[in-house]
Amino acid sequence: MKVKVSRKAHFNAAHRLYRKDWEDTKNTEVFGKCNNPNFHGHNYEMIVSVTGEIDPETGFVMDMKVLKDLIKEEIEDYLDHKNLNIEVEEFKTLNPTAENIAVVIWKRLRPNVQDTHELEVVLFETPRNYVTFSG
Amino acid sequence: MKVKVSRKAHFNAAHRLYRKDWEDTKNTEVFGKCNNPNFHGHNYEMIVSVTGEIDPETGFVMDMKVLKDLIKEEIEDYLDHKNLNIEVEEFKTLNPTAENIAVVIWKRLRPNVQDTHELEVVLFETPRNYVTFSG
Amino acid sequence: MKVKVSRKAHFNAAHRLYRKDWEDTKNTEVFGKCNNPNFHGHNYEMIVSVTGEIDPETGFVMDMKVLKDLIKEEIEDYLDHKNLNIEVEEFKTLNPTAENIAVVIWKRLRPNVQDTHELEVVLFETPRNYVTFSG
Amino acid sequence: MKVKVSRKAHFNAAHRLYRKDWEDTKNTEVFGKCNNPNFHGHNYEMIVSVTGEIDPETGFVMDMKVLKDLIKEEIEDYLDHKNLNIEVEEFKTLNPTAENIAVVIWKRLRPNVQDTHELEVVLFETPRNYVTFSG
Amino acid sequence: MKVKVSRKAHFNAAHRLYRKDWEDTKNTEVFGKCNNPNFHGHNYEMIVSVTGEIDPETGFVMDMKVLKDLIKEEIEDYLDHKNLNIEVEEFKTLNPTAENIAVVIWKRLRPNVQDTHELEVVLFETPRNYVTFSG
Amino acid sequence: MKVKVSRKAHFNAAHRLYRKDWEDTKNTEVFGKCNNPNFHGHNYEMIVSVTGEIDPETGFVMDMKVLKDLIKEEIEDYLDHKNLNIEVEEFKTLNPTAENIAVVIWKRLRPNVQDTHELEVVLFETPRNYVTFSG
């Protein structure tokens, strides 16, 4: 009886796509408008999913309230209203593309989710663009 | 040429999360506000998906009209505007968590879907919480 | 420079449509499935809007954070995970139709919003049915 | 570090479900209203997903701008505001069900996506009906 | 206690924008791709709203079930899976723009809604384009 | 025959809420996390509506294609992927709250819309917060 439980959450942040070790022209060529040195930003919407057996006692795979609080503490409090490039440790050396942000979110949540459970992170950069990472 | 066809549907119901064999304090500790003895309720939104080969004659995996009617007869008519704990056979002995409701829906639909086809049920308890069961 | 600022919020509740002073047959005739004596329920989604002049100092009509907290204290904490008919004062003598719930929400918020500002409440009973009340 | 990147897009088209080699009565029996010889139509909404390793240089699996332009050139320009049965080569001999349209879209995109990447097409025929094809 | 009650509904149809009394070049110049003589189509999504006093007996402005059935009989059954230009009386001499379709829907509903109630029709031609008509 | 036609559009931007003439402590007290000196950002989603008589020749209030292009030229090209505080003339001396951004958008569009038509701008700062300005 494996079920996947999913919870939506969100944060707002500024970012800029570029590599410090590339020249400006190359950054602009590869990242276009996303390389604006003054930053731009997004409402990032997330879906965090945990897959596992239903606990026959509670009927839960994982208490949604616990999952909600975990996302708040590990992700929302850490990323909300931040400048990802300047203020978030992981992105000081990593380009904050949607792909990389999803991986960072996954890595921060993984140790807090039961070992036997699978974890998936969907990250919407805009309502039209999103990425999915499952480890 | 395996394709997954998906159909949205919905029902409204009241429920309460608790175990009859637990004391009130334990039920409240585990289920919080969801243990309200006077019940609360949800607009449950479902996505039912059937995966199989495209029938080369019709171009359908399964006629959407047939799937729509099946969901109406087996799920909507059975659960809509009901009190899940009191009025639905399965939940007289089973806690009506989103996980368990998804499993019950899947079990009611499975015998009505062609054997060679896979079946998946996604159940939104709220626009922010949902579960997925594929058997 | 009159601007309308709008904030979404939500609560889940059980209810039943009926009049105590009507006989069962009349209640069923008028309210159909919504008269189920065991209750059913909804995810109520709200949009609360406040219209007024932009404060030239802050650039706000009303601080969204203040509006969010007000909705939480006056509406979400009051109605979430409740049985409207049994547990909410106003509906002990008032049928909890979407129309009446919207009016009750509006009346609870009105004294907390600046006199010179207009107030509007949109209440979704389902994603397909909603009502609007502006006083 | 396999990530799936997804991009939404859309086109509007007219179509009719029927087989030229069937008699009218059989077409109506199988395809119902969708067999209207004067056509009906839809706003088709698509989600195109590409799964692959994150390029450590750019942080991209695939540049979303490139994916967006590819969908525009290969799908939107080809299908938008068209009568699928009359004007689209593939559907001159193939019934334009959602299933078959998804397969046609997938086949048009596949040669333009890196070999090592997986491709998935989700096609919404209406907001309530959709299909998924992954090859 | 004036409240506006709103109900969503939908139909799919083919159409073509053009004037019979204009030459092809002028039709193409003004209506672009929408002038395709082979037709294209849309999923039209509607929101029908009725505004009036709450009936103190029932707590309803208008029974949503009655409104739903009215929309089905007058609009969905009349327009769904139709070619608007060929099969719908009103559009034999009227260009089926979103604006004109909204007016036609409003005129068909108006005689069926209580005189003292106001009527509004919102018609989405696509999820990105819509029109509103209130008489 | 007055109809309101509405078109959705969007842009992404970074911003910071603060007044240069206030001290840091006051800015933080009033604007909270939104005062982050390193900026944060949003996916701004807009709905631009124009209300006027239906042109009996075309059946349009305003050609949606023209409205779409106008929004692109005047708003999307001007604000997309920008830092509002640093790079947008109007916000060098004006706090870029949702209210003020909506007014700026309205003022940029107004001269380009026919005098006899009314103009309304709805601006979503997040999917949960939005503002409406009609002049």
Side-chain angles (χ1 to χ4, degrees):
Chain A
M1 288 304 187
K2 265 199 164 175
V3 170
K4 173 168 151 180
V5 300
S6 302
R7 172 81 199 165
K8 294 192 184 177
H10 49 90
F11 62 91
N12 311 320
H15 80 154
R16 170 196 179 184
L17 299 187
Y18 79 120
R19 290 182 63 102
K20 286 178 194 163
D21 56 339
W22 284 0
E23 296 195 6
D24 276 6
T25 44
K26 177 141 191 210
N27 272 314
T28 299
E29 192 193 309
V30 174
F31 298 116
K33 295 186 294 186
C34 300
N35 176 38
N36 181 344
N38 294 312
F39 308 103
H40 65 286
H42 297 289
N43 303 325
Y44 291 95
E45 304 273 327
M46 282 178 283
I47 305 170
V48 176
S49 299
V50 171
T51 305
E53 294 291 328
I54 301 180
D55 177 333
E57 274 238 302
T58 57
F60 287 154
V61 167
M62 179 176 180
D63 186 338
M64 282 283 193
K65 172 109 190 44
V66 173
L67 181 55
K68 182 186 173 183
D69 291 347
L70 173 63
I71 299 170
K72 185 175 182 317
E73 280 155 39
E74 289 298 323
I75 310 301
E76 292 179 339
D77 290 353
Y78 189 62
L79 299 178
D80 192 34
H81 282 75
K82 293 286 173 61
N83 182 308
L84 300 181
N85 303 71
I86 296 177
E87 297 174 298
V88 177
E89 203 48 42
E90 287 90 336
F91 300 115
K92 287 184 178 162
T93 55
L94 185 68
N95 200 10
T97 58
E99 288 91 329
N100 282 335
I101 301 173
V103 171
V104 163
I105 291 172
W106 190 92
K107 284 185 176 166
R108 288 184 68 84
L109 292 174
R110 183 65 267 188
N112 300 285
V113 172
Q114 216 175 297
D115 272 6
T116 49
H117 288 171
E118 295 155 45
L119 175 66
E120 179 189 85
V121 170
V122 179
L123 182 72
F124 284 76
E125 194 172 68
T126 77
R128 289 155 290 280
N129 283 355
Y130 63 93
V131 302
T132 307
F133 182 62
S134 327
Chain B
M1 288 305 188
K2 264 198 165 177
V3 169
K4 173 167 151 180
V5 300
S6 302
R7 172 82 201 165
K8 296 193 181 173
H10 50 90
F11 61 92
N12 312 318
H15 79 155
R16 169 195 181 186
L17 298 188
Y18 80 120
R19 289 182 63 102
K20 285 178 192 161
D21 57 339
W22 284 0
E23 296 196 6
D24 277 5
T25 44
K26 175 140 192 212
N27 272 314
T28 298
E29 191 193 308
V30 175
F31 299 116
K33 296 186 294 187
C34 299
N35 176 39
N36 182 343
N38 294 314
F39 309 101
H40 65 285
H42 297 288
N43 304 325
Y44 292 95
E45 304 272 329
M46 284 177 282
I47 305 172
V48 176
S49 299
V50 171
T51 304
E53 295 289 329
I54 301 179
D55 177 333
E57 273 238 302
T58 58
F60 287 155
V61 167
M62 179 177 180
D63 185 339
M64 283 283 192
K65 173 107 191 44
V66 172
L67 181 55
K68 181 185 174 185
D69 291 347
L70 173 63
I71 299 170
K72 185 174 183 315
E73 280 155 36
E74 289 298 323
I75 310 303
E76 293 179 339
D77 289 353
Y78 189 62
L79 300 178
D80 191 35
H81 282 75
K82 294 286 172 61
N83 182 308
L84 300 181
N85 303 71
I86 296 176
E87 297 173 299
V88 177
E89 203 49 42
E90 287 91 335
F91 301 114
K92 288 186 175 158
T93 55
L94 184 68
N95 200 9
T97 58
E99 288 92 328
N100 282 335
I101 302 172
V103 172
V104 163
I105 290 172
W106 190 92
K107 285 184 175 167
R108 288 184 67 83
L109 291 174
R110 183 64 268 188
N112 299 285
V113 171
Q114 217 175 298
D115 272 7
T116 49
H117 288 171
E118 295 155 45
L119 175 66
E120 180 190 83
V121 171
V122 179
L123 182 72
F124 283 77
E125 194 172 69
T126 77
R128 288 154 292 279
N129 284 355
Y130 62 93
V131 303
T132 308
F133 182 62
S134 326
Chain C
M1 288 305 186
K2 265 196 163 176
V3 170
K4 174 167 149 179
V5 300
S6 301
R7 173 83 200 164
K8 294 193 182 174
H10 50 91
F11 61 91
N12 311 320
H15 79 155
R16 170 196 179 185
L17 298 188
Y18 79 119
R19 290 182 64 102
K20 287 178 192 161
D21 56 339
W22 284 0
E23 296 195 5
D24 277 5
T25 44
K26 177 142 191 208
N27 272 314
T28 299
E29 191 193 310
V30 174
F31 299 116
K33 295 186 294 188
C34 300
N35 176 40
N36 181 344
N38 294 314
F39 307 104
H40 65 286
H42 297 289
N43 303 325
Y44 291 95
E45 305 271 329
M46 283 178 283
I47 305 171
V48 176
S49 299
V50 171
T51 305
E53 295 290 329
I54 301 179
D55 177 334
E57 273 237 304
T58 57
F60 287 154
V61 167
M62 180 177 180
D63 185 339
M64 282 283 193
K65 172 109 190 45
V66 172
L67 181 55
K68 181 185 173 185
D69 291 348
L70 173 64
I71 298 170
K72 183 173 185 318
E73 281 155 38
E74 289 298 323
I75 310 302
E76 292 179 340
D77 289 353
Y78 189 63
L79 300 178
D80 191 34
H81 281 76
K82 295 286 172 61
N83 183 309
L84 300 181
N85 303 72
I86 296 176
E87 298 173 297
V88 177
E89 202 50 42
E90 287 92 335
F91 300 115
K92 288 184 176 160
T93 54
L94 185 68
N95 200 9
T97 57
E99 289 91 328
N100 281 336
I101 302 172
V103 171
V104 163
I105 291 172
W106 190 91
K107 284 184 175 166
R108 288 184 67 84
L109 292 174
R110 183 65 268 187
N112 300 287
V113 172
Q114 215 174 299
D115 272 7
T116 49
H117 288 172
E118 295 156 44
L119 176 66
E120 181 190 84
V121 170
V122 178
L123 181 74
F124 283 77
E125 195 171 70
T126 77
R128 290 155 289 279
N129 283 354
Y130 63 94
V131 302
T132 307
F133 182 62
S134 327
Chain D
M1 289 304 187
K2 264 198 164 176
V3 170
K4 173 167 150 180
V5 299
S6 302
R7 171 82 201 165
K8 294 192 184 175
H10 50 90
F11 61 92
N12 311 320
H15 80 155
R16 171 197 179 183
L17 299 187
Y18 80 119
R19 289 181 64 101
K20 285 178 193 163
D21 56 339
W22 284 0
E23 297 195 5
D24 277 5
T25 45
K26 177 141 192 211
N27 272 313
T28 298
E29 192 194 309
V30 174
F31 299 116
K33 294 187 294 187
C34 300
N35 175 39
N36 182 344
N38 294 314
F39 308 103
H40 65 285
H42 297 288
N43 303 325
Y44 291 94
E45 305 272 328
M46 284 178 282
I47 305 172
V48 176
S49 299
V50 171
T51 305
E53 294 290 329
I54 300 180
D55 177 333
E57 274 236 302
T58 58
F60 287 153
V61 167
M62 180 177 179
D63 185 339
M64 282 284 193
K65 172 109 190 44
V66 172
L67 182 55
K68 181 185 173 186
D69 291 348
L70 173 64
I71 298 169
K72 185 174 183 314
E73 280 156 37
E74 289 298 323
I75 310 304
E76 293 179 340
D77 289 354
Y78 189 63
L79 300 178
D80 191 35
H81 281 75
K82 293 287 172 61
N83 183 308
L84 300 181
N85 303 71
I86 296 176
E87 298 173 297
V88 177
E89 202 50 41
E90 287 91 336
F91 300 115
K92 288 185 177 161
T93 55
L94 184 68
N95 199 10
T97 59
E99 289 90 328
N100 282 335
I101 301 173
V103 171
V104 163
I105 291 172
W106 189 92
K107 286 185 176 167
R108 288 185 66 84
L109 291 173
R110 185 61 269 189
N112 299 285
V113 172
Q114 218 174 297
D115 271 6
T116 50
H117 288 171
E118 294 156 46
L119 175 66
E120 180 189 84
V121 171
V122 178
L123 182 73
F124 284 76
E125 193 171 70
T126 77
R128 289 155 291 278
N129 283 355
Y130 62 94
V131 301
T132 307
F133 182 62
S134 325
Chain E
M1 288 307 188
K2 264 197 165 177
V3 170
K4 174 167 149 180
V5 301
S6 302
R7 172 83 200 165
K8 293 192 183 174
H10 50 90
F11 62 91
N12 312 319
H15 79 153
R16 170 196 180 184
L17 299 188
Y18 79 119
R19 290 182 63 102
K20 285 178 193 162
D21 56 339
W22 284 0
E23 296 195 7
D24 277 5
T25 45
K26 178 143 191 208
N27 272 314
T28 298
E29 190 194 309
V30 174
F31 299 116
K33 295 186 294 188
C34 300
N35 177 38
N36 181 344
N38 294 315
F39 307 104
H40 65 286
H42 297 289
N43 302 325
Y44 292 95
E45 304 273 327
M46 284 178 283
I47 306 171
V48 176
S49 299
V50 171
T51 305
E53 295 290 328
I54 301 180
D55 177 333
E57 275 236 302
T58 57
F60 287 154
V61 167
M62 180 176 178
D63 185 338
M64 281 284 193
K65 172 108 189 48
V66 172
L67 181 54
K68 181 185 173 184
D69 292 348
L70 173 63
I71 298 170
K72 183 172 185 316
E73 280 156 38
E74 289 298 322
I75 310 302
E76 292 180 340
D77 290 353
Y78 189 62
L79 299 179
D80 191 34
H81 281 75
K82 294 288 172 61
N83 182 308
L84 301 181
N85 303 71
I86 296 176
E87 297 173 299
V88 177
E89 202 50 41
E90 287 92 335
F91 299 115
K92 288 186 177 161
T93 55
L94 185 69
N95 199 10
T97 59
E99 289 92 327
N100 282 336
I101 301 172
V103 171
V104 163
I105 290 172
W106 190 91
K107 284 185 176 168
R108 288 184 68 84
L109 292 173
R110 184 63 268 190
N112 299 286
V113 172
Q114 217 173 297
D115 271 6
T116 50
H117 288 171
E118 294 156 46
L119 176 66
E120 181 189 83
V121 171
V122 178
L123 181 72
F124 283 76
E125 194 172 69
T126 77
R128 289 155 291 279
N129 283 355
Y130 62 94
V131 302
T132 308
F133 182 63
S134 324
Chain F
M1 287 306 187
K2 264 197 164 176
V3 170
K4 173 167 149 179
V5 299
S6 302
R7 172 82 201 165
K8 294 193 182 172
H10 51 89
F11 61 92
N12 311 319
H15 79 154
R16 170 196 180 185
L17 298 188
Y18 80 119
R19 289 181 63 102
K20 287 178 193 162
D21 56 339
W22 284 1
E23 294 195 7
D24 276 6
T25 44
K26 177 141 191 210
N27 272 315
T28 298
E29 191 194 310
V30 174
F31 299 116
K33 295 187 293 187
C34 299
N35 176 39
N36 182 343
N38 294 315
F39 307 103
H40 65 286
H42 296 289
N43 303 326
Y44 292 95
E45 305 272 328
M46 284 178 282
I47 305 171
V48 176
S49 299
V50 171
T51 305
E53 295 290 328
I54 301 180
D55 177 333
E57 273 238 303
T58 58
F60 287 154
V61 167
M62 181 177 179
D63 185 339
M64 281 284 193
K65 173 108 190 43
V66 172
L67 181 54
K68 181 186 173 185
D69 292 346
L70 173 63
I71 298 170
K72 185 174 184 315
E73 280 156 38
E74 289 298 323
I75 309 304
E76 293 180 339
D77 290 352
Y78 188 64
L79 300 178
D80 191 35
H81 282 74
K82 293 287 171 62
N83 183 308
L84 300 181
N85 303 72
I86 296 176
E87 298 174 298
V88 177
E89 202 50 42
E90 287 91 337
F91 300 115
K92 289 186 175 159
T93 55
L94 185 69
N95 200 9
T97 59
E99 288 91 327
N100 282 335
I101 302 173
V103 171
V104 163
I105 290 171
W106 190 91
K107 284 185 176 166
R108 288 184 67 84
L109 292 174
R110 184 64 268 188
N112 299 286
V113 172
Q114 216 174 300
D115 272 7
T116 49
H117 289 170
E118 295 157 45
L119 175 66
E120 181 189 83
V121 171
V122 178
L123 182 73
F124 284 76
E125 195 172 68
T126 77
R128 289 155 289 280
N129 283 355
Y130 62 93
V131 301
T132 307
F133 182 62
S134 327

